[in-house]
């Protein structure tokens, strides 16, 4: 997996985390136990620090960047495919839907769901256990039973899948 130090700061990855071989980590990145970083994801911490908490997953082709503070993805949170998470806080067990954008200093509450394709503007606070939808996301509604199921189970699904990938992927020789 490509990992790079930047100005003396190097990524720190717990031995029980899984990083896909094509994910890229740069600078002051911390990946805690049981977290997973999927194919094509880029986590670049050159201005500040990015912390991926225990059991969280950053899915394929998502990009995380930080300004001069700390960008944090909470314990057992999910950042779906193709997301942009920029200089914000994602709460514990929150789920960021595919293609969503979370901007500077936004705070996503614990067990919240940001709808696929939504854009959470800078400095926005999404309350815990709410669905944020729209672009910009200004409408917050209680989670439906279906949404609660996604929030309840997504982290465990990806933790299991990460173990399968760690044990089961093999590079193919193209010669």
């Amino acid at each position: 997996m490509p990992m790079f130090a930047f100005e003396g700061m190097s990524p720190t990855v717990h031995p029980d985390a899984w990083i896909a071989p094509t994910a890229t980590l740069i600078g002051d990145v911390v990946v805690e136990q049981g977290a997973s970083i999927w194919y094509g994801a880029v986590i670049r911490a050159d201005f500040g620090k990015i912390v991926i908490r225990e059991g969280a997953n950053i899915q394929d082709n998502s990009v995380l960047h930080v300004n001069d503070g700390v960008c944090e993805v909470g314990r057992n949170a999910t950042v779906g495919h193709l997301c942009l998470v920029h200089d914000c806080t994602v709460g514990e067990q929150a789920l960021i839907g595919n293609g969503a954008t979370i901007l500077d200093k936004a705070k996503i509450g614990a067990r919240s769901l940001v709808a696929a394709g939504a854009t959470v503007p800078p400095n926005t606070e999404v309350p815990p256990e709410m669905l944020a939808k729209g672009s910009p996301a200004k409408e917050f509604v209680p989670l439906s039973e279906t949404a609660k199921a996604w929030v309840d189970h997504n982290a465990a699904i990806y933790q299991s899948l990460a173990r399968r990938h760690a044990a089961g992927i093999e590079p193919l020789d193209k010669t």
Side-chain angles (χ1 to χ4, degrees), residues 111 113 129-131 141-152:
R111 295 185 44 75
L113 192 154
E129 298 192 13
M130 297 295 273
L131 168 65
V141 298
L143 295 176
S144 67
E145 290 306 311
T146 301
K148 284 181 186 176
W150 278 103
V151 168
D152 287 343

Side-chain angles (χ1 to χ4, degrees), residues 83-146:
C83 292
L84 171 62
V85 174
H86 196 269
D87 197 30
C88 60
T89 301
V90 176
E92 183 171 333
Q93 206 170 348
L95 197 159
I96 309 304
N98 295 341
T101 298
I102 316 297
L103 294 173
D104 301 44
K105 307 305 179 209
K107 294 181 181 176
I108 310 303
R111 295 185 44 75
S112 289
L113 192 154
V114 175
T119 298
V120 177
N123 301 306
T124 299
E125 290 196 30
V126 176
E129 298 192 13
M130 297 295 273
L131 168 65
K133 55 186 181 175
S135 188
K138 292 186 176 181
E139 184 178 353
F140 308 135
V141 298
L143 295 176
S144 67
E145 290 306 311
T146 301

Side-chain angles (χ1 to χ4, degrees), residues 14-156:
H14 190 281
D16 292 332
W18 181 73
I19 312 296
T22 58
T24 303
L25 281 60
I26 303 156
D28 194 5
V29 176
V30 175
V31 181
E32 293 184 349
Q33 179 177 1
S36 59
I37 314 298
W38 291 80
Y39 304 93
V42 175
I43 303 176
R44 180 166 56 93
D46 45 11
F47 290 125
K49 182 177 199 159
I50 298 175
V51 180
I52 312 301
R53 295 285 179 206
E54 180 179 347
N57 64 91
I58 310 301
Q59 295 178 9
D60 309 71
N61 295 313
S62 285
V63 174
L64 280 69
H65 188 244
V66 62
N67 286 332
D68 61 355
V70 176
C71 179
E72 181 175 338
V73 176
R75 185 175 174 270
N76 292 321
T78 293
V79 174
H81 309 287
L82 293 168
C83 292
L84 171 62
V85 174
H86 196 269
D87 197 30
C88 60
T89 301
V90 176
E92 183 171 333
Q93 206 170 348
L95 197 159
I96 309 304
N98 295 341
T101 298
I102 316 297
L103 294 173
D104 301 44
K105 307 305 179 209
K107 294 181 181 176
I108 310 303
R111 295 185 44 75
S112 289
L113 192 154
V114 175
T119 298
V120 177
N123 301 306
T124 299
E125 290 196 30
V126 176
E129 298 192 13
M130 297 295 273
L131 168 65
K133 55 186 181 175
S135 188
K138 292 186 176 181
E139 184 178 353
F140 308 135
V141 298
L143 295 176
S144 67
E145 290 306 311
T146 301
K148 284 181 186 176
W150 278 103
V151 168
D152 287 343
H153 302 293
N154 200 72

